[in-house]
Amino acid sequence: MPRYTVHVRGEWLAVPCLNSTNTIRWLGKEAVRRYMKNKPDNGGFASVEDVKFYIRRCKGLGLLDLDDTVEDALEDNEFVEVVIEGDIMSPDFIPSQPEGVHLYSKYREPEQYISLDGNSLTTEDLVSLGKGLYKIKLTPEAEAKVNQSREVIERIVKEQTVVYGITTGFGKFARTVIPNSKLRELQVNLVRSHSAGVGKPLTPERSRMLLALRINVLAKGYSGISLETLQQVIEAFNASCLPYIPEKGTVGASGDLAPLSHLALGLIGEGKMWSPKSGWADAKYVLEAHGLKPITLKPKEGLALINGTQMITSLGCEAVERASAIARQADIIAALTLEVLKGTTRAFDTDIHAVRPHRGQVEVAFRFRSLLDSDHHPSEIAESHRFCDRVQDAYTMRCCPQFKLYFVHLCLNLSLKMVFAERAETISGGNFHGEYPAKALDYLAIGVHELAAISERRIERLCNPSLSELPAFLVTEGGLNSGFMIAHCTAAALVSENKALCHPSSVDSLSTSAATEDHVSMGGWAARKALRVIEHVEQVLAIELLAACQGIEFLRPLRTTTPLEKVYDLVRSVVRPWMKDRFMAPDIEAVHRLLVEQKVWEVAKPYIEKYRREHIPESRPISPTAFSLGSLDMNVDAGHDHRHHNEL
C-alpha cells in the first residue's frame, strides 16, 4: 500500500493511500483532515471543504496538478507539502532544498564503495565521498577493533566502574555518578543539549564529508561505539540521509560539539534531515522513507558520536583541495596575463630558482616555462615584442614563483576519549582539541589570499592603458562602454574583504564549560573563513581570466602559445568576447565555475606534463648547501631579463 509523507503548517503526517487512482486533491484533503483532527480548534477551519490549498513536491518545490492521480504523479513514500492559500510560508518549515540546489538535482546513488579502516582515508577520498561518488563499508580489521573496544565499555558498565562520560556526567558534572538505569538517557540528553548551533545548515556535500569523516574516526576502534550503531550510521550515509547541521557554534575545543551533536540528533530520529529523495523533513520520516530506523544510543555512544574535530577537519580538507586547485590554475591565468601584457619568460629561468630551492617556487617557475617556452610553443605575441626596450616586468608578473606557497594535505587523527582494548582501559586525553588544524587553516587562508592580491594588481595592469598598451578597461568606444571598470572594483573589494578574513582565529580563545575548557581553538571559524577566502580568490582569478582573454582580442590576429590558446578557447566556450557593455555577473560566474570544476587545469595539464617528460634533464639536483639560511635570503635578479636578451 503506497503512503506519502505530507507537510501541513509545521506538522508532518503519514498518509496511506488505499486506492492508487485517488487524486492529488484527495491527498491534500486527507492530509488537511488529519491535521485538523490533531488540533483542538480544527486548525481554525470549519471543515475540510473550506480549505483552499495547492500541493508541491518537497524535492524541488514543483507544483502538482490537483487532478492528477497519485499513481501517475508521485513515487511511493514521496514527500509533499500542502500550502494553505493565504499562508506566506508554513511556520517552522525549512526550505526544501539547500543552497545551490542545481548542483544536487543530478544526484545518482553511487554503486562503488570506499572501504574505511580509520587510517587510510585521504583528502581526495573525503572530497569524493562529499560529492556522493561512493558509499562506505568497513574493513574486517576495523570491525574487529570496534568490537574489541566496545567490550571494554560493556565491562565498565557491568562492573559499575566510575569512568568519565560513561557512568558520570560531562564537563563540570564529571564527579556526578549516573546510575545504570539512566545511562542511555544520559547519552540522549547529551546529544539533545549539545545541539545548540545556529546559522545556515551545511550543504549536502559538506554534511556528507562531516559524516564520512566521523565514520572514519569511529572505525579506528578507539571510541567505544558498538558495531551495530556504527553500521546504522554507515547505512544513513549510504542512503544520503543528512542531518540538519548549523554551520556556527563550535569553539573547536572538546571537538566540534555543537555540529556533531546536530549530526547525532538526526541519526537518533530527532531534528531535521535532508535526502535527495525527501528534501528537508523531520528526521524520523526521512529515515523511515529509506527503510532505516533511528539509532538507540547505548552507554558512551552519544559521547562517541560528538567528540572530535570533524567539522574543522572536513571543511579543512575541502579548503586544502580547493586551495590546491586554484593555486595550480592561478599559474595558468598569470601566464596568459603575462602574454597579453607582453612580458618576459626570463624571470622563470631554471638557474634562478635552483638558487632559492623552495619546492613550490621551483614548480611554479617550471609551469610558466612549460606554458611559455618559445622553443617548445611558438608565440606570435611573444615574437611581436622581441626587440622592445623594456628591462623588467612588474613584481606581480616576474615574481609569481616567489609569491607561491606549496600547499600540503592535512593529515588529522582526532578524537576524544580513547578506548585502548589491548590495555582494557579508557584514557581521557586531548586529541579532540582543534589547535593544530585551526593554525594550519589560518595559515592556509593567509597564503591563498596572496594569489588574489597579486591577481587584482594584474587586473589593474590589464585595465590601465598606460600600463597595458590596450584600450582602457579592455573595451572599444570607452565612455559609451565601461568594460571591465567595475569588474576590477569587484576584485579589489574581494581582496580587501580577504584582508580582514585573514586575521587568525586561532590566536583567540574564550574560556567555556565553567573553565573546564579554558583554552579553545576557534578552529570552526578558521575553517569557514578559509573557505570564504578561497571562494573570493577563485572569483578574483575568474575576473583576471576574463580580462586576459579580452586582452587577447585586441592582439589578434596574433596568437599565443598552444596551451594558452586552448585555455582561451575554453573560456570562449562559455563567455563570448566583450564587444560592448552587457550584464557581466553571469560571465564571472561562468568562468568561476570553470575554475571550481578545474577545467582550466584539465586543459593545460597535458601540455605541462608533456613538457615535464621532455625536459627532465633540466631538473638539477640541489646541493645540500643550497638550504642554508644565506641561500634562502639570496636575491638573484635578472637585471636585463626581457625575452630578446641573451644574458641573465
Side-chain angles (χ1 to χ4, degrees):
M1 176 178 63
R3 48 163 285 168
Y4 305 96
T5 305
V6 186
H7 186 265
V8 183
R9 283 186 166 177
E11 291 196 11
W12 289 95
L13 306 163
V15 181
C17 184
L18 297 175
N19 188 346
S20 59
T21 61
N22 284 337
T23 64
I24 297 295
R25 180 179 283 103
W26 170 87
L27 180 63
K29 286 186 176 181
E30 180 62 16
V32 171
R33 186 187 68 77
R34 291 171 181 249
Y35 169 79
M36 292 171 59
K37 183 179 178 181
N38 293 337
K39 298 295 180 183
D41 62 348
N42 287 334
F45 303 119
S47 71
V48 173
E49 301 303 325
D50 293 336
V51 182
K52 295 182 179 180
F53 59 82
Y54 61 91
I55 299 181
R56 62 188 180 191
R57 283 188 170 87
C58 288
K59 180 182 178 181
L61 303 181
L63 288 175
L64 296 170
D65 190 322
L66 298 180
D67 294 325
D68 284 348
T69 64
V70 292
E71 181 181 46
D72 292 336
L74 300 174
E75 297 178 5
D76 185 22
N77 207 2
E78 190 157 351
F79 286 62
V80 297
E81 185 193 19
V82 173
V83 181
I84 309 298
E85 191 173 287
D87 287 355
I88 298 174
M89 176 60 77
S90 301
D92 303 319
F93 184 64
I94 302 166
S96 292
Q97 297 284 28
E99 196 175 320
V101 62
H102 62 283
L103 301 178
Y104 313 109
S105 59
K106 297 181 181 178
Y107 175 81
R108 295 291 181 271
E109 186 173 327
E111 297 180 357
Q112 293 182 298
Y113 285 81
I114 284 181
S115 296
L116 296 185
D117 59 8
N119 301 308
S120 306
L121 186 69
T122 66
T123 55
E124 294 91 341
D125 290 338
L126 186 62
V127 171
S128 293
L129 286 167
K131 292 177 180 177
L133 302 181
Y134 298 96
K135 292 183 179 179
I136 286 173
K137 62 182 177 181
L138 297 179
T139 63
E141 295 77 12
E143 291 181 352
K145 288 180 180 179
V146 170
N147 279 328
Q148 289 171 6
S149 67
R150 185 63 200 176
E151 289 171 4
V152 176
I153 302 300
E154 298 294 345
R155 187 159 51 251
I156 288 170
V157 174
K158 183 178 180 181
E159 296 172 358
Q160 298 186 0
T161 307
V162 177
V163 178
Y164 173 80
I166 303 175
T167 56
T168 75
F170 307 96
K172 192 70 173 177
F173 300 118
R175 296 183 181 181
T176 304
V177 178
I178 309 299
N180 274 20
S181 61
K182 293 186 177 294
L183 293 185
R184 291 176 183 267
E185 184 181 353
L186 171 70
Q187 299 300 313
V188 174
N189 286 346
L190 172 71
V191 170
R192 287 170 175 164
S193 65
H194 285 45
S195 297
V198 298
K200 296 187 300 184
L202 296 182
T203 63
E205 283 193 8
R206 290 175 180 172
S207 296
R208 277 197 203 98
M209 289 175 66
L210 179 60
L211 183 52
L213 196 56
R214 193 66 205 146
I215 292 169
N216 187 63
V217 169
L218 296 172
K220 293 176 181 292
Y222 293 129
S223 69
I225 197 169
S226 69
L227 183 59
E228 176 191 6
T229 297
L230 183 52
Q231 290 291 7
Q232 283 185 274
V233 178
I234 292 171
E235 288 171 359
F237 176 90
N238 289 344
S240 200
C241 294
L242 307 172
Y244 182 97
I245 306 168
E247 64 179 5
K248 300 177 184 178
T250 177
V251 295
S254 280
D256 296 314
L257 291 174
L260 288 173
S261 294
H262 281 275
L263 183 73
L265 189 71
L267 296 173
I268 66 174
E270 300 184 15
K272 302 291 183 183
M273 187 174 266
W274 182 90
S275 82
K277 177 179 180 179
S278 66
W280 287 112
D282 287 356
K284 61 182 179 180
Y285 289 112
V286 177
L287 291 170
E288 187 176 335
H290 292 272
L292 304 176
K293 293 182 179 179
I295 290 171
T296 300
L297 295 174
K298 304 178 184 68
K300 174 67 167 70
E301 292 192 325
L303 191 62
L305 286 170
I306 74 170
N307 261 124
T309 55
Q310 280 66 62
M311 171 81 155
I312 303 171
T313 312
S314 61
L315 296 184
C317 286
E318 181 189 346
V320 168
E321 288 298 305
R322 286 178 67 176
S324 299
I326 196 59
R328 289 191 296 265
Q329 294 175 111
D331 301 336
I332 300 163
I333 296 167
L336 184 58
T337 296
L338 183 138
E339 272 284 272
V340 173
L341 294 176
K342 299 181 179 179
T344 180
T345 60
R346 302 290 283 177
F348 312 118
D349 186 275
T350 307
D351 289 340
I352 291 177
H353 301 282
V355 175
R356 196 183 190 195
H358 293 294
R359 184 176 176 182
Q361 175 178 334
V362 170
E363 176 62 20
V364 173
F366 174 85
R367 287 179 191 158
F368 271 83
R369 291 196 301 277
S370 70
L371 296 169
L372 296 169
D373 187 330
S374 59
D375 293 332
H376 200 73
H377 297 300
S379 167
E380 294 173 349
I381 294 175
E383 188 64 26
S384 72
H385 61 92
R386 174 177 289 274
F387 301 105
C388 67
D389 58 359
R390 281 180 295 168
V391 175
Q392 290 182 334
D393 293 325
Y395 283 2
T396 51
M397 292 192 288
R398 66 182 166 111
C399 295
C400 284
Q402 286 83 354
F403 291 147
K404 186 70 165 194
L405 284 179
Y406 186 75
F407 295 110
V408 296
H409 291 77
L410 300 174
C411 297
L412 304 166
N413 284 328
L414 304 153
S415 59
L416 165 66
K417 177 181 285 299
M418 301 302 197
V419 178
F420 293 95
E422 66 274 12
R423 292 167 57 175
E425 63 179 318
T426 65
I427 302 174
S428 291
N431 283 350
F432 52 72
H433 206 286
E435 194 78 7
Y436 286 152
K439 283 184 166 29
L441 290 165
D442 280 338
Y443 179 69
L444 177 66
I446 293 169
V448 77
H449 155 72
E450 286 300 302
L451 298 177
I454 61 175
S455 175
E456 181 274 329
R457 289 291 79 206
R458 291 194 297 263
I459 296 169
E460 155 71 10
R461 302 190 77 82
L462 287 165
C463 291
N464 188 333
S466 65
L467 300 174
S468 68
E469 302 176 9
L470 298 170
F473 304 111
L474 301 170
V475 71
T476 56
E477 295 187 84
L480 175 63
N481 296 301
S482 296
F484 280 70
M485 180 187 295
I486 303 306
H488 173 232
C489 290
T490 298
L494 293 172
V495 168
S496 182
E497 190 170 328
N498 275 358
K499 292 173 184 176
L501 290 170
C502 283
H503 176 78
S505 65
S506 57
V507 300
D508 185 31
S509 177
L510 285 172
S511 179
T512 59
S513 194
T516 303
E517 300 161 7
D518 56 348
H519 184 82
V520 301
S521 72
M522 299 301 178
W525 175 227
R528 288 193 296 112
K529 71 182 181 65
L531 281 168
R532 190 181 299 180
V533 168
I534 291 164
E535 183 177 25
H536 291 168
V537 171
E538 293 165 347
Q539 290 164 335
V540 171
L541 282 160
I543 293 170
E544 182 187 354
L545 181 52
L546 273 173
C549 288
Q550 181 64 16
I552 290 282
E553 306 299 339
F554 296 103
L555 300 179
R556 291 300 192 214
L558 300 179
R559 296 177 63 81
T560 181
T561 65
T562 301
L564 295 181
E565 284 290 343
K566 295 294 184 183
V567 172
Y568 169 87
D569 290 342
L570 173 69
V571 173
R572 286 291 171 253
S573 72
V574 296
V575 176
R576 67 184 189 276
W578 195 271
M579 306 308 294
K580 60 180 180 179
D581 282 353
R582 64 173 187 263
F583 185 19
M584 181 173 273
D587 291 354
I588 297 172
E589 179 51 35
V591 176
H592 178 219
R593 180 54 47 194
L594 292 179
L595 294 174
V596 170
E597 294 175 355
Q598 302 190 51
K599 299 294 186 183
V600 172
W601 175 248
E602 289 174 8
V603 165
K605 182 181 178 182
Y607 296 93
I608 295 172
E609 294 308 315
K610 183 174 185 288
Y611 189 86
R612 192 186 306 277
R613 290 191 301 271
E614 296 176 358
H615 290 74
I616 292 297
E618 79 166 21
S619 301
R620 305 176 188 179
I622 299 167
S623 65
T625 56
F627 286 98
S628 68
L629 287 176
S631 70
L632 295 181
D633 290 331
M634 188 176 294
N635 178 20
V636 177
D637 191 11
H640 294 278
D641 66 348
H642 238 355
R643 192 181 299 263
H644 64 283
H645 288 287
N646 296 317
E647 298 180 2
L648 291 179

